[in-house]
Amino acid sequence: MLTALSFYLLSAVAVAAAFMVVASRNPVHSVMYLILTFFSAAGLFILMGAEFLALLLVLVYVGAVAVLFLFVVMMLDVDFVELKQGFLSYLPIGAVVAIVLLLEMVLVGGAYVAGETQTVVERGQELSNLERFGAVLYTEYGGLFEAAGIVLLVAMIGAIVLTLREREGVRKQNAMDQMARTRKDGVELVDIEPGQGLG
Amino acid sequence: MLQTLSLFAPELLLAVSASLLLGFGFWGGKDRSGFARYYAIAMLVVFSLSSFVLGRPEGTAFEGALIVDGFSHYVKLILGLSAAAALLFSKSYFESEKLERYEYSVLTLYCVLGMSIMASANTLLSLYIGIEMQSLALYVMAAFNRDSLRASEAGLKYFVLGALSSGLLLYGASLIYGFTGSIEFSGIANAVNDSGTTPGIIAGMVFLLCGLAFKISAAPFHMWTPDVYEGAPTPVTGFFSAAPKFAAMALIARVLVGPFEGITESWQQVIIVISVLSMVVGALGALQQTNIKRLMAYSSIANMGYALVPLAAGTVAGVQGMLVFMSIYVISVIGIFALILQMRIRNGMVEQISDLAGLSTSNRGMAILMTMFMFSLMGIPPLLGFFGKLFAFLPAADAGLMPLVVIALVASVIGAFYYLRVIKTMWFDEERHEFVEAPQSLRYISLVSALLILPILLLPGISTGAQGLITLAAESLF
């Protein structure tokens, strides 16, 4: 009973918040609603017994991604008046698309409820999530794990290629040169006659 | 584990050599881009031939995540060679436009690695990782000329739309996983055979196909193609229109006849719709184009439509026809872009079709080669393009898809108009420019491609040896 209640509550909040992400006019509010959606989804994961995924969702998406979004949104100079004008003119076509998608999902969900499909296999209770992940991540999925690493490497190379500029004539600090300096290089002793100056 | 490594040796070679090249580029001092390019070309050639040298090992690697079979051998052969050719013809352009940097070669290697994972994908996970690795490298390559507004726009456009298509693909993959309980193609195939057509599986499959159709720029997911082709540096455009298209098409074939073999009549409709739309959009869209790169973009949309025609049949002969058609298309496109890269006047590159005016008097050899390629794309009989279309349309006709074949033929006739216009501009218009002398590598690439599309050289191969290779490749899927 309690499980069902929390499931419906969390799902309702998740759906409502997800709607507000696209509906709210202020991008900062959108990000806030996004965080709410992530939290509700994390709650749903916990209900399914996937506590590690729930924690990952909060750590990675709320902790890192959403905060990054927030920074980007606040840096952007968004013209709020213009945003409001665009929304209404896009509304009819957007609504049509949304209704179609909704109908499709109702159809899909209906099939699911009618019992025409099977659910994901239930996991055993003896091992925790983390142990389960650890058992397969570097063995069964080892190759794909490495491949995912290469994907990240490509993204990093791309970011550097597109943004790094080597400027000409920049004087950089070179620690080795500084340390290799001796007294002879740095100091020049000049014998100055009184009243003559250096000139 | 050792068996996995030996099966996966060509990809390991690519990954290791790309990483070594990255290190070399960073620490190797000045003037390293020339060496990097030749090293990458050598590695790509070794990669494409290695599975044949190693005696074509077959099996699954990484606990069934990747499959190595006759199909992946053949796809990797074409991928490696076309990427090597694209890398070779980028040399003169990058040097003259002052874009020469070693990262381009590194990105090409990683891109081919991603494409080869796509060709060997045996689970939804490896499919997605392969696609992302390839796409990320392509986004960066499109924007490689970062000081040019158009190239940056092309890269950004490609990136945003590519991210959207990845979203569609992932949504489809999650639906498929949810309704079949498996991410492995064999597991999905079993579930599909057991349960038949359920709305969830169909919805997932359609989303997955939409994501993949974006990668081959088939209509209605073609919007990015003309702008990206025009904005990206020309050698990058040449690369785009050859290897990635072939890899994505191979992946579509593998997905259709692998996990979804049991519901052929369901995906057949989707493929037919995408194919017809692509042929119509490609044929009609190209009519108004004046820029030769945009023309090639619409031409590639139309050609992807033709390549989907045999796949709609869902038979061994269909996959075979797709492979023959795509191989010939890749050869022609490499040749055409080697010719477009020779369109240089004293002030820089030109890319309008009208710039080709009077080419027959100023540079007869180039005009003859370009004419051959255009005739081949049209499908005029003595050239290989005709046989490509023949092998592509026959399986569909045999499978009873006559209306589709008729539409394809009509689209070919409409398409002939704009190819003929290029030929007319070259042979019958007043001369406009004198192109500067092209570097030898470009001339050799276009010459070799032109020789390859001459039937006298390849037809014996296609009818005997190479055909055997393609037949083996197609049969290994079923």
Side-chain angles (χ1 to χ4, degrees):
Chain A
M1 180 62 199
L2 189 66
T3 323
L5 199 67
S6 28
F7 171 77
Y8 286 117
L9 190 70
L10 284 171
S11 324
V13 171
V15 171
F19 177 76
M20 287 309 289
V21 173
V22 282
S24 80
R25 285 170 186 164
N26 188 331
V28 180
H29 293 175
S30 286
V31 177
M32 294 299 173
Y33 283 117
L34 192 65
I35 293 175
L36 184 59
T37 318
F38 286 145
F39 262 110
S40 321
L44 287 174
F45 270 129
I46 288 185
L47 282 185
M48 288 166 68
E51 68 276 355
F52 181 62
L53 269 186
L55 287 180
L56 268 190
L57 196 71
V58 173
L59 277 178
V60 176
Y61 281 89
V62 179
V65 176
V67 172
L68 195 72
F69 272 157
L70 211 53
F71 271 120
V72 172
V73 166
M74 285 158 95
M75 298 277 187
L76 290 176
D77 186 21
V78 184
D79 186 354
F80 294 110
V81 181
E82 203 176 322
L83 276 180
K84 284 176 194 168
Q85 287 168 346
F87 184 72
L88 271 184
S89 59
Y90 292 129
L91 189 60
I93 182 73
V96 169
V97 173
I99 288 169
V100 170
L101 269 178
L102 183 72
L103 284 179
E104 281 172 359
M105 283 176 206
V106 167
L107 213 66
V108 170
Y112 188 79
V113 171
E116 288 178 23
T117 54
Q118 56 205 29
T119 51
V120 182
V121 188
E122 228 173 274
R123 77 183 169 103
Q125 292 297 317
E126 69 279 4
L127 283 174
S128 77
N129 268 203
L130 202 52
E131 286 167 310
R132 288 249 154 178
F133 272 113
V136 294
L137 187 58
Y138 301 106
T139 54
E140 196 176 330
Y141 297 106
L144 292 176
F145 184 79
E146 293 291 331
I150 293 182
V151 174
L152 288 181
L153 175 66
V154 172
M156 203 167 77
I157 297 173
I160 293 173
V161 166
L162 292 182
T163 54
L164 182 72
R165 283 168 203 277
E166 286 171 18
R167 289 195 183 80
E168 296 288 319
V170 179
R171 297 186 181 183
K172 281 186 185 151
Q173 189 179 19
N174 189 336
M176 294 315 284
D177 281 357
Q178 288 178 333
M179 283 191 284
R181 249 161 75 108
T182 56
R183 183 162 172 273
K184 218 187 258 173
D185 305 327
V187 184
E188 191 185 355
L189 288 177
V190 185
D191 206 4
I192 302 169
E193 296 287 318
Q196 299 265 311
L198 268 178
Chain B
M1 194 60 205
L2 207 60
Q3 198 227 348
T4 286
L5 289 186
S6 70
L7 275 175
F8 215 54
E11 282 80 1
L12 280 181
L13 170 87
L14 268 191
V16 170
S17 54
S19 308
L20 281 180
L21 197 58
L22 194 60
F24 167 77
F26 186 72
W27 286 296
K30 295 255 179 253
D31 282 343
R32 55 231 160 167
S33 44
F35 172 81
R37 171 167 284 113
Y38 289 119
Y39 175 77
I41 290 172
M43 284 303 130
L44 284 171
V45 172
V46 172
F47 160 78
S48 61
L49 299 176
S50 57
S51 52
F52 294 93
V53 174
L54 294 174
R56 301 202 221 164
E58 297 194 357
T60 56
F62 298 121
E63 310 270 339
L66 296 162
I67 184 167
V68 180
D69 54 9
F71 186 74
S72 74
H73 289 156
Y74 181 72
V75 173
K76 283 170 198 172
L77 175 75
I78 301 285
L79 286 183
L81 291 181
S82 63
L87 207 50
L88 189 61
F89 70 42
S90 68
K91 182 172 186 290
S92 60
Y93 181 91
F94 278 125
E95 274 169 2
S96 62
E97 304 289 309
K98 305 223 175 353
L99 288 173
E100 186 74 329
R101 299 169 72 185
Y102 71 92
E103 286 97 337
Y104 186 75
S105 310
V106 177
L107 284 173
T108 306
L109 285 182
Y110 280 126
C111 185
V112 175
L113 177 63
M115 290 193 274
S116 121
I117 292 178
M118 283 164 75
S120 306
N122 201 28
T123 67
L124 292 175
L125 208 55
S126 44
L127 174 148
Y128 180 67
I129 286 182
I131 286 183
E132 277 311 291
M133 195 186 293
Q134 173 237 24
S135 310
L136 269 175
L138 289 181
Y139 303 147
V140 179
M141 284 157 95
F144 206 75
N145 187 3
R146 58 187 188 185
D147 297 323
S148 142
L149 207 58
R150 307 190 71 144
S152 311
E153 185 199 327
L156 194 63
K157 216 173 240 178
Y158 192 24
F159 175 65
V160 172
L161 289 175
L164 183 72
S165 85
S166 288
L168 287 179
L169 193 135
L170 279 180
Y171 185 51
S174 69
L175 278 179
I176 292 170
Y177 175 58
F179 279 85
T180 61
S182 173
I183 58 167
E184 285 174 17
F185 285 178
S186 53
I188 297 172
N190 287 338
V192 167
N193 285 334
D194 288 345
S195 62
T197 49
T198 61
I201 294 178
I202 301 284
M205 181 203 68
V206 171
F207 275 112
L208 195 71
L209 280 183
C210 290
L212 290 175
F214 176 90
K215 300 295 174 200
I216 57 166
S217 72
F221 308 98
H222 64 282
M223 301 299 181
W224 58 277
T225 322
D227 292 341
V228 173
Y229 270 44
E230 192 189 359
T234 312
V236 178
T237 313
F239 179 61
F240 271 15
S241 47
K245 294 276 155 48
F246 194 85
M249 199 52 107
L251 185 57
I252 289 182
R254 200 184 268 288
V255 168
L256 289 182
V257 300
F260 297 117
E261 199 186 357
I263 46 170
T264 306
E265 62 285 350
S266 307
W267 57 253
Q268 208 170 30
Q269 303 161 3
V270 183
I271 293 294
I272 289 175
V273 168
I274 294 179
S275 166
V276 168
L277 278 178
S278 307
M279 290 187 290
V280 171
V281 166
L284 297 181
L287 295 179
Q288 298 298 320
Q289 301 307 323
T290 55
N291 181 307
I292 194 152
K293 278 157 83 182
R294 284 186 87 87
L295 182 84
M296 288 311 294
Y298 281 102
S299 156
S300 103
I301 295 171
N303 275 292
M304 291 307 119
Y306 301 143
L308 286 173
V309 169
L311 272 188
T315 56
V316 179
V319 175
Q320 201 175 322
M322 183 278 285
L323 286 177
V324 174
F325 180 84
M326 284 305 291
S327 312
I328 294 169
Y329 174 71
V330 165
I331 296 172
S332 324
V333 158
I334 295 269
I336 290 176
F337 273 94
L339 285 174
I340 293 176
L341 282 167
Q342 296 179 30
M343 291 169 60
R344 169 184 296 284
I345 55 171
R346 206 161 287 160
N347 306 332
M349 303 290 298
V350 289
E351 47 193 45
Q352 297 299 314
I353 294 172
S354 55
D355 292 320
L356 283 169
L359 193 65
S360 57
T361 49
S362 61
N363 191 341
R364 185 160 287 243
M366 196 172 151
I368 290 174
L369 291 185
M370 191 65 125
T371 310
M372 274 180 60
F373 287 123
M374 290 296 152
F375 274 133
S376 174
L377 281 184
M378 257 189 273
I380 300 293
L383 296 163
L384 269 194
F386 167 74
F387 295 98
K389 283 189 177 163
L390 183 71
F391 282 116
F393 297 162
L394 270 185
D398 287 341
L401 298 171
M402 250 354 211
L404 182 62
V405 175
V406 171
I407 294 175
L409 290 176
V410 172
S412 298
V413 174
I414 300 174
F417 167 77
Y418 52 83
Y419 297 128
L420 277 175
R421 201 180 52 181
V422 175
I423 296 174
K424 175 233 159 205
T425 312
M426 285 188 301
W427 291 87
F428 299 111
D429 284 7
E430 284 293 307
E431 186 180 336
R432 254 183 86 174
H433 301 297
E434 183 102 12
F435 292 139
V436 295
E437 177 128 342
Q440 279 202 330
S441 61
L442 285 181
R443 290 194 305 208
Y444 279 127
I445 292 177
S446 51
L447 190 65
V448 168
S449 309
L451 290 179
L452 281 177
I453 62 162
L454 275 183
I456 37 167
L457 275 173
L458 210 57
L459 200 55
I462 277 219
S463 54
T464 56
Q467 183 73 351
L469 203 65
I470 291 174
T471 314
L472 272 182
E475 276 167 359
S476 73
L477 272 192
F478 285 85

